[in-house]
Amino acid sequence: MEFYKQHPRFLVAVDCVVFGYEEGELKLLLYPRAFEPEKGNWSLMGGFVQENESSEQAACRVLKQTTGLNDIFLEQVNAFSEPAREPSERVISITYYALIKIGRYKKSKADEFGAKWWPVNELPPLIFDHSEMIQQSLKKLQQKAGSSLVGSELLASKFTLLQLRKLYEAIYQRSFDPGNFRKKILSLDVLDKLDHKNSTESKKGAYYYKVKPNKLEKELERIVKY
Amino acid sequence: MEFYKQHPRFLVAVDCVVFGYEEGELKLLLYPRAFEPEKGNWSLMGGFVQENESSEQAACRVLKQTTGLNDIFLEQVNAFSEPAREPSERVISITYYALIKIGRYKKSKADEFGAKWWPVNELPPLIFDHSEMIQQSLKKLQQKAGSSLVGSELLASKFTLLQLRKLYEAIYQRSFDPGNFRKKILSLDVLDKLDHKNSTESKKGAYYYKVKPNKLEKELERIVKY
DNA sequence: ACAAAAGTGTTTTCTCTACACCCATGA
DNA sequence: TCATGGGTGTAGAGAAAACACTTTTGT
């Protein structure tokens, strides 16, 4: 017991890299920082871990406060602990990335904080080590997208294979052959074809699919090499 | 500035999952815990992060203290932050895994702490969430071994392809076809064949190889699917 | 002589990729 | 009718897996 006492204690924060998908682009939700230092500069949304919550719970709380959403997909990326990573005071930050459906999130909430969605390849300068956090998060997202299907987290509950392919092209920043992508995805046997079509994006109309309920959690064979 | 003050501060620890390889088995270095709670029960080696060091530096320091070694390969695994993960006091722990050459480490150092090497599939019961830390570390090690060559971190500086294959079999807990493994590894073009043989493990004798100096850091194409 | 690993070669299978081609339909 | 995406099929390249076979040498 005595042993614990002699060691220093630290502020522990969570920073959330919030990915969304809109208009064929992968986007990130950024905020102008509300307090000094670096007040007004663009930042990930973060907060401090409290006494009776885990860092995961802290990240959920921050996301609830800033987007109004519960039940968001979250994955831990990395802990950043350089003593000088924040100039004014030492803070150890645990980074999470989140996947949200832009259509669902509460604009009113985010507006309180002056939030703005930024395309991932047109980001403004960011405070501290937040750019590094985003780099690592994108890499993790690519890994996840390669070994499981991220469609259900970022798209509406039903989607066409064109929408899914465009999403993957945005995540990997490259194009995929339409026919091959279709065959690869369908061969995974995780999608149910619905009986109605989306006719807004093509003349012929494309069938909607949704993720099979019991396949949501399953780790799949590789979808995309990374 | 005021903003920072109102938030709680936490003890932040590092726990090290130390992998070694000996007698054809992947092993882990464990210690009987030196203080209450759970004194005497098996544990990963850990320590608390200090004021002027990062968690990486803390992990290096712990490894230096317990194995006598510098320049150890280290990779962050995950931060564990459940409020009740240690029953007596809240500690947030950042887990690292390390790869060391058992032949090199200082037995005297480890003996001070009562350390013992355990085969990964014959581990004793462990304190707190240390089993979970090990599970995640092994998964990370498999990923690393799949996309780069871990031979130089766990084997002596020169090694035969048999030794390398046995190491991979230990890491993945499965066997590899000797001929295919040889061809796959050599096709990566990261090994230099030496001009002398090891004759202790076969009648014919197998040439030693070592990692090409400039290829140490390179990310490779997939070696093993995982 | 035999066993066991070293080392090489071949065959089969499978996946990835490129690309051709027809379909359906709104403009 | 023409352009566009929907959807299917196929041929070739390349990797992975299975396995045959020859070499070498200590016992």
Side-chain angles (χ1 to χ4, degrees), chain A residues 156-161 163 192-201 206-210:
Chain A
S157 61
K158 61 181 184 181
F159 47 83
T160 66
L161 290 172
Q163 291 167 345
D192 275 331
K193 186 180 190 170
L194 304 184
D195 58 2
H196 53 294
K197 288 184 170 188
N198 170 332
S199 299
T200 66
E201 288 170 317
Y207 280 102
Y208 280 116
Y209 290 81
K210 64 177 172 57

Side-chain angles (χ1 to χ4, degrees), chain B:
Chain B
M1 212 61 27
E2 201 46 37
F3 183 86
Y4 286 82
K5 294 257 188 289
Q6 53 194 290
H7 296 287
R9 287 155 197 271
F10 302 96
L11 291 168
V12 177
V14 290
D15 283 301
C16 296
V17 179
V18 181
F19 289 105
Y21 176 71
E22 195 181 42
E23 295 163 358
E25 284 187 309
L26 191 64
K27 295 186 176 180
L28 275 172
L29 191 59
L30 300 178
Y31 298 79
R33 186 163 153 106
F35 45 89
E36 296 295 343
E38 301 247 16
K39 182 170 178 176
N41 293 330
W42 293 97
S43 160
L44 297 171
M45 201 58 195
F48 288 96
V49 176
Q50 301 299 313
E51 290 291 0
N52 47 7
E53 65 180 4
S54 67
S55 55
E56 285 80 1
Q57 290 167 332
C60 288
R61 176 174 50 76
V62 166
L63 288 172
K64 173 76 178 170
Q65 286 167 0
T66 53
T67 67
L69 296 178
N70 286 318
D71 297 322
I72 294 176
F73 174 88
L74 260 187
E75 194 173 339
Q76 191 182 125
V77 178
N78 202 34
F80 290 80
S81 64
E82 286 299 320
R85 57 172 292 279
E86 293 201 20
S88 56
E89 170 143 18
R90 181 158 188 191
V91 178
I92 291 174
S93 174
I94 303 175
T95 304
Y96 287 81
Y97 80 88
L99 304 181
I100 83 166
K101 303 175 207 251
I102 291 187
R104 281 229 199 129
Y105 100 112
K106 308 290 182 295
K107 200 157 169 13
S108 56
K109 282 274 184 184
D111 281 349
E112 287 174 32
F113 301 94
K116 186 170 172 321
W117 287 98
W118 295 78
V120 283
N121 36 26
E122 298 165 30
L123 296 178
L126 286 144
I127 66 167
F128 307 152
D129 46 8
H130 287 200
S131 293
E132 171 72 9
M133 291 175 176
I134 290 172
Q135 283 308 312
Q136 292 191 20
S137 296
L138 182 58
K139 204 169 163 189
K140 268 240 164 181
L141 172 58
Q142 289 176 346
Q143 286 178 5
K144 180 186 161 54
S147 62
S148 78
L149 199 68
V150 295
S152 48
E153 287 91 358
L154 287 163
L155 298 173
S157 60
K158 61 181 184 181
F159 47 84
T160 65
L161 291 172
L162 175 62
Q163 291 167 345
L164 185 64
R165 177 164 58 85
K166 292 291 180 190
L167 169 61
Y168 267 76
E169 292 181 343
I171 290 174
Y172 286 96
Q173 305 276 358
R174 72 173 187 91
S175 62
F176 293 96
D177 178 277
N180 294 338
F181 184 83
R182 152 186 296 279
K183 274 174 289 184
K184 178 73 188 179
I185 296 294
L186 293 179
S187 75
L188 298 172
D189 191 35
V190 293
L191 293 184
D192 275 332
K193 186 179 190 170
L194 304 185
D195 58 2
H196 54 293
K197 289 183 168 188
N198 171 332
S199 298
T200 66
E201 289 172 315
S202 73
K203 331 272 171 149
K204 186 176 176 181
Y207 280 103
Y208 279 116
Y209 289 81
K210 65 177 173 55
V211 177
K212 287 188 182 182
N214 50 336
K215 296 291 178 64
L216 264 171
E217 298 296 322
K218 192 170 170 291
E219 276 287 301
L220 303 171
E221 284 306 298
R222 192 144 319 288
I223 298 175
V224 183
K225 277 191 298 197
Y226 51 86

Side-chain angles (χ1 to χ4, degrees), chain A residues 28-223:
Chain A
L28 274 171
L29 191 59
L30 299 177
Y31 299 79
R33 186 160 154 109
F35 47 88
E36 294 297 343
E38 301 247 16
K39 182 170 175 176
N41 292 330
W42 292 98
S43 159
L44 297 171
M45 201 58 196
F48 289 95
V49 176
Q50 301 299 312
E51 289 291 0
N52 47 8
E53 65 180 3
S54 67
S55 56
E56 284 80 2
Q57 289 167 332
C60 287
R61 176 174 51 74
V62 165
L63 288 172
K64 173 75 179 173
Q65 285 166 1
T66 54
T67 67
L69 296 179
N70 286 318
D71 297 322
I72 293 176
F73 174 87
L74 259 188
E75 194 172 340
Q76 192 182 123
V77 178
N78 201 33
F80 290 80
S81 64
E82 286 299 320
R85 56 172 292 278
E86 292 202 21
S88 56
E89 171 143 16
R90 182 159 188 190
V91 178
I92 292 174
S93 174
I94 303 174
T95 304
Y96 287 82
Y97 80 87
L99 304 180
I100 83 166
K101 303 175 208 250
I102 292 187
R104 280 228 200 130
Y105 101 112
K106 309 291 183 296
K107 199 156 171 11
S108 57
K109 283 274 185 186
D111 280 349
E112 288 175 31
F113 300 93
K116 185 171 173 322
W117 286 99
W118 295 77
V120 282
N121 36 25
E122 299 165 28
L123 297 178
L126 286 143
I127 65 166
F128 308 151
D129 46 7
H130 287 200
S131 293
E132 170 72 9
M133 292 175 176
I134 290 172
Q135 284 307 314
Q136 292 191 20
S137 295
L138 182 57
K139 204 168 164 190
K140 266 241 164 182
L141 172 57
Q142 289 177 345
Q143 286 179 4
K144 180 186 161 56
S147 63
S148 80
L149 199 68
V150 296
S152 48
E153 288 89 358
L154 286 163
L155 299 172
S157 61
K158 61 181 184 181
F159 47 83
T160 66
L161 290 172
L162 174 63
Q163 291 167 345
L164 186 63
R165 176 164 59 83
K166 292 291 180 190
L167 169 61
Y168 267 76
E169 292 182 342
I171 290 174
Y172 286 96
Q173 304 276 359
R174 72 174 189 89
S175 62
F176 293 95
D177 178 277
N180 294 339
F181 184 82
R182 151 186 297 278
K183 273 175 289 185
K184 179 72 186 179
I185 295 295
L186 293 181
S187 75
L188 298 172
D189 193 35
V190 293
L191 293 184
D192 275 331
K193 186 180 190 170
L194 304 184
D195 58 2
H196 53 294
K197 288 184 170 188
N198 170 332
S199 299
T200 66
E201 288 170 317
S202 73
K203 331 271 171 147
K204 185 176 177 181
Y207 280 102
Y208 280 116
Y209 290 81
K210 64 177 172 57
V211 178
K212 287 188 182 182
N214 49 335
K215 295 292 177 63
L216 266 171
E217 299 297 321
K218 192 168 167 294
E219 276 289 300
L220 302 171
E221 282 308 295
R222 193 146 317 288
I223 297 174

